[in-house]
Amino acid sequence: MPNFSCADIDWMEYALILASKAESKGEVPVGAVLVRDQKLLAEGYNRVITDSDPSAHAEVVALRNAGKAVGNYRLPGTTLYVTLEPCCMCAGAIIHSRVDRVIYAATDPKTGAAGSRFNVLNSDKHNHQPIIEGGLLADDASAQLKSFFATRRKAHK
């Protein structure tokens, strides 16, 4: 298990707040925070339904916001905190944006691309591999996701 700092915990707690914001809009509760030098660079939460955009995952929204904020699609020296292990699409965006470090909470055994299902983020076939650390506040993120999907299943019965 990685040794997470107090700042890591604080940023992930903020990402969990963003995940709750997504959930309040009927979105799958995933939040993401992009930080450079311990300062918030950008944030995002799932908006696929809200924006009618299949690419509007929390990570992509945060990366888009960061690119606009700094005027560059490359984001070196950053850490991305996300409440769910990134999927293949998000992993590609993370690699292309040159994020240095990815910290995620819950693993995603169905579509996770940081080693749970696929090894996209840590593939040596890319010219950039971020440092990946998972499991920070995983119980909190998992409980939020499980509750969301249980409520959704109950509503569809």
Side-chain angles (χ1 to χ4, degrees):
M1 186 72 157
N3 190 17
F4 297 111
S5 71
C6 291
D8 290 335
I9 294 167
D10 290 344
W11 289 119
M12 187 61 78
E13 286 175 341
Y14 185 54
L16 285 165
I17 290 168
L18 294 171
S20 294
K21 191 170 183 177
E23 184 173 17
S24 74
K25 296 176 182 291
E27 303 276 359
V28 175
V30 179
V33 178
L34 192 69
V35 174
R36 181 185 280 153
D37 299 324
Q38 290 306 314
K39 293 184 179 111
L40 179 65
L41 191 58
E43 62 186 51
Y45 54 86
N46 272 2
R47 300 182 53 87
V48 297
I49 297 166
T50 304
D51 293 351
S52 298
D53 179 355
S55 69
H57 288 196
E59 302 93 311
V60 171
V61 172
L63 293 171
R64 284 178 182 154
N65 290 338
K68 289 176 186 170
V70 301
N72 196 332
Y73 72 100
R74 296 268 171 100
L75 303 166
T78 58
T79 298
L80 180 68
Y81 296 88
V82 61
T83 59
L84 182 64
E85 180 182 2
C87 69
C88 291
M89 176 186 68
C90 293
I94 290 164
I95 291 163
H96 288 293
S97 64
R98 305 298 194 267
V99 170
D100 284 353
R101 185 173 172 226
V102 177
I103 299 178
Y104 65 89
T107 58
D108 186 348
K110 290 185 180 181
T111 64
S116 290
R117 184 71 169 161
F118 305 102
N119 291 312
V120 176
L121 278 178
N122 53 7
S123 172
D124 62 1
K125 292 176 175 43
H126 301 293
N127 62 344
H128 175 75
Q129 295 94 30
I131 296 165
I132 306 161
E133 299 170 276
L136 177 61
L137 302 180
D139 291 342
D140 296 337
S142 292
Q144 186 178 37
L145 287 159
K146 286 177 184 172
S147 173
F148 173 81
F149 285 113
T151 301
R152 182 182 262 184
R153 281 190 298 275
K154 200 178 288 184
H156 283 94
K157 285 187 176 184

